[in-house]
Amino acid sequence: MSFETLGLSAELLRAVSEQGYSEPTPIQKQAIPVILEGKDILAGAQTGTGKTAGFTLPLLQRLSSKKCEGSKRPVRALVLTPTRELAAQVEESIKSYGKYLPLKSNVIYGGVKIGPQISRLRRGVDILVATPGRLLDHLQQKTLDLSQLEILVLDEADRMLDMGFIQDIKKILAMLPSRRQNLLFSATFSNEIKKLADKLLNSPILIEVARKNTTSEMIAQVIHPVDKSRKRELLCTLIKKEKWYQVLVFTRTKHGADRLTRQLIRERIPAVAIHGNKSQNQRTKALADFKNNKVQVLVATDIAARGIDIDQLPHVVNYELPNVPEDYVHRIGRTGRAGNEGEAVSLVCIDEKKFLKDIERLIKREIPQRIIEGFELDPTIKPEPSKKSAGHRGRNKKTANTTQRAGNSSRRRNNKRSSGGQNAGNNQQRRNSRKSR
Ligand code: AMP
């Protein structure tokens, strides 16, 4: 099947062919015609499936096919994303796919000055991409009017709920016109997502391309058992010996990311850290340097890495396993994207066995284990008793006082606020964990 058969306009087909895409991905094949018809959708699709083009192309077509009355351009489409990085990337996609259309897009997120955003909004924007906290700030300050909105997209909705944005989202929804098209994308379908979908969507068409919590067949996964004290040495050995040139390494904490980055640099491996304590400018630069191969290793925490889209990222390393098993799926989804092969390597010490079990249960497969020669386990090392009983929770509580300077203010508000509800316990654990990430 080609893009031509999907009913897209000549301007969009031209932009798509300039991207070098020859064939639509499964999510694009299913979502584009349905969105063009004006229907609501509930799409189960992870990053890497081509979902951004899946909603951006038909959204652009729908907006361009109907001229807006009046001289001032109201916001007609809104895309909400969980992170600034994802917001910036989605807006970049909108700009490239819409380059032959007379539509204006913009992106707003927290961590940067609000003034320039207000001026840009005043000049008129057709399509706005935003993170919930800053969007709400604009709505409350009345620097943004969404009364003419025609299409709402919630991208990575599960991540947004995970990050404590539900109250912000509810407030935003209350300020939107009731007649509109809604597109909800989520990698997983928790009860919370189902509840949100019930409230938000009107007779939605259900589209699912990758089953819940499955990992792509294109990603080769391997576990290297190793003693905790030798993880750094093993990582350096692998990077040098295997000549890995673009490696995304996950650590559990911001502090851990900084420490590992310093150690890699000491070993003459160009590395940079990306996490919530870095300013937006530092994060943008780190990502750009990594994409342009100026640095070999990007060391990231889960939150900072969400939504990072790097074409053909060959290697993802879990320096530490995540304590939330779903994060493993998201982490390794950074590689093996859109038909490219990728490798996900996890360095697992004796204290992380429980996390490994949880992950394998979630992805319904056992991940092959391979001990690297020279890094055999020291049989005298036993699991640390405190970690075994408290998991990562104890560790996170210890670091929970660190201030997340560059974090989204609204997210912080929500983390404090929402303590009730059936998922509260689970969410609280995630939030404690997030503060250190
Ligand atoms: P997404 O899931 O939207 O984050 O997209 C993942 C990657 O797939 C991005 O780098 C896109 O540029 C790429 N992509 C999107 N659609 C296609 C397509 N039809 N053919 C090949 N690559 C694509």
Side-chain angles (χ1 to χ4, degrees):
M1 189 196 240
S2 69
F3 275 101
E4 279 76 12
T5 57
L6 292 175
L8 294 170
S9 67
E11 291 87 351
L12 289 169
L13 290 174
R14 191 172 158 200
V16 163
S17 91
E18 282 178 15
Q19 292 290 317
Y21 306 160
S22 49
E23 217 196 310
T25 64
I27 184 83
Q28 292 163 2
K29 279 181 205 161
Q30 293 184 52
I32 292 174
V34 177
I35 300 173
L36 284 177
E37 279 177 39
K39 294 192 174 126
D40 282 9
I41 67 162
L42 174 58
Q46 295 174 348
T47 57
T49 52
K51 67 181 165 64
T52 315
F55 65 75
T56 302
L57 291 167
L59 178 150
L60 285 164
Q61 174 138 335
R62 281 183 63 74
L63 295 187
S64 63
S65 63
K66 208 175 95 197
K67 263 231 144 64
C68 189
E69 305 297 321
S71 57
K72 197 175 172 297
R73 303 170 91 127
V75 175
R76 295 168 65 201
L78 170 67
V79 183
L80 283 179
T81 73
T83 63
R84 303 160 193 176
E85 280 79 14
L86 183 61
Q89 280 170 13
V90 168
E91 208 251 341
E92 253 175 54
S93 298
I94 292 173
K95 280 210 158 65
S96 12
Y97 301 136
K99 66 197 274 198
Y100 300 112
L101 294 171
L103 293 167
K104 263 174 83 175
S105 61
N106 220 307
V107 60
I108 54 175
Y109 45 67
V112 293
K113 282 187 193 151
I114 200 164
Q117 294 180 346
I118 295 174
S119 324
R120 290 201 307 263
L121 288 173
R122 264 201 212 117
R123 274 179 254 136
V125 172
D126 301 288
I127 306 157
L128 187 63
V129 186
T131 50
R134 181 54 67 91
L135 185 89
L136 197 59
D137 289 344
H138 279 284
L139 286 169
Q140 285 167 344
Q141 290 186 27
K142 302 214 178 330
T143 48
L144 172 65
D145 172 21
L146 292 175
S147 62
Q148 307 293 307
L149 196 81
E150 295 168 33
I151 305 174
L152 170 72
V153 183
L154 295 191
D155 194 12
E156 302 202 357
D158 50 346
R159 296 273 122 196
M160 282 197 271
L161 298 194
D162 232 21
M163 291 170 76
F165 280 134
I166 186 69
Q167 296 305 330
D168 285 353
I169 291 173
K170 281 185 182 162
K171 284 184 192 160
I172 294 166
L173 293 181
M175 290 190 229
L176 305 182
S178 52
R179 256 179 70 97
R180 56 169 202 264
Q181 184 177 15
N182 301 291
L183 317 173
L184 192 153
F185 288 78
S186 184
T188 53
F189 287 127
S190 62
N191 287 340
E192 273 176 304
I193 288 288
K194 284 182 196 143
K195 252 198 265 168
L196 179 68
D198 280 348
K199 217 176 138 234
L200 181 77
L201 306 174
N202 233 324
S203 320
I205 306 290
L206 183 70
I207 295 173
E208 204 168 4
V209 291
R211 268 199 30 240
K212 185 182 163 186
N213 296 326
T214 52
T215 45
S216 161
E217 292 303 321
M218 301 298 290
I219 306 169
Q221 300 171 63
V222 66
I223 303 285
H224 294 318
V226 60
D227 291 328
K228 192 173 171 182
S229 61
R230 300 198 66 199
K231 280 190 176 185
R232 179 182 52 80
E233 198 188 338
L234 176 57
L235 178 64
C236 292
T237 303
L238 288 169
I239 291 173
K240 288 179 180 166
K241 218 171 93 192
E242 306 288 330
K243 297 197 171 50
W244 289 348
Y245 62 92
Q246 210 177 29
V247 196
L248 177 60
V249 178
F250 284 95
T251 61
R252 229 160 21 222
T253 65
K254 296 179 268 196
H255 183 60
D258 283 335
R259 196 174 43 214
L260 180 61
T261 305
R262 283 195 301 272
Q263 290 168 335
L264 289 170
I265 292 169
R266 230 175 282 140
E267 297 280 338
R268 297 178 197 287
I269 297 172
V272 65
I274 182 168
H275 56 63
N277 279 2
K278 300 275 180 186
S279 71
Q280 189 53 42
N281 283 346
Q282 285 173 318
R283 287 159 69 161
T284 308
K285 183 171 182 317
L287 197 56
D289 286 350
F290 184 59
K291 281 187 177 183
N292 300 331
N293 291 314
K294 278 194 195 153
V295 292
Q296 200 171 347
V297 183
L298 183 67
V299 185
T301 56
D302 288 283
I303 285 188
R306 264 167 211 165
I308 290 179
D309 174 22
I310 299 153
D311 279 342
Q312 300 174 24
L313 185 61
H315 306 286
V316 167
V317 176
N318 292 304
Y319 190 76
E320 290 149 328
L321 284 182
N323 52 346
V324 177
E326 285 84 357
D327 280 345
Y328 176 83
V329 179
H330 286 283
R331 284 181 179 188
I332 74 164
R334 313 286 122 196
T335 181
R337 291 159 86 82
N340 294 302
E341 283 182 30
E343 188 181 24
V345 172
S346 302
L347 311 187
V348 178
C349 70
I350 200 160
D351 295 326
E352 295 172 298
K353 279 200 167 154
K354 185 191 169 299
F355 302 120
L356 179 57
K357 274 216 181 80
D358 291 346
I359 290 164
E360 290 182 329
R361 198 174 307 126
L362 179 80
I363 65 173
K364 296 189 179 66
R365 73 160 91 157
E366 221 171 281
I367 308 168
Q369 303 206 1
R370 189 155 53 86
I371 293 179
I372 301 289
E373 210 186 318
F375 290 89
E376 291 78 10
L377 297 177
D378 178 347
T380 63
I381 298 178
K382 301 281 175 256
E384 278 182 39
S386 59
K387 293 241 177 73
K388 214 177 158 197
S389 53
H392 295 288
R393 234 184 278 189
R395 176 195 184 115
N396 292 326
K397 267 187 189 150
K398 205 176 111 202
T399 46
N401 289 334
T402 52
T403 327
Q404 195 170 5
R405 267 185 293 121
N408 187 300
S409 60
S410 146
R411 197 188 318 152
R412 283 201 298 274
R413 284 200 300 273
N414 277 316
N415 289 348
K416 276 187 218 142
R417 233 183 294 151
S418 48
S419 57
Q422 63 184 102
N423 296 309
N426 195 14
N427 287 343
Q428 194 57 49
Q429 184 191 349
R430 285 166 192 249
R431 281 182 209 114
N432 283 340
S433 150
R434 265 197 312 273
K435 288 203 173 167
S436 60
R437 289 194 266 165

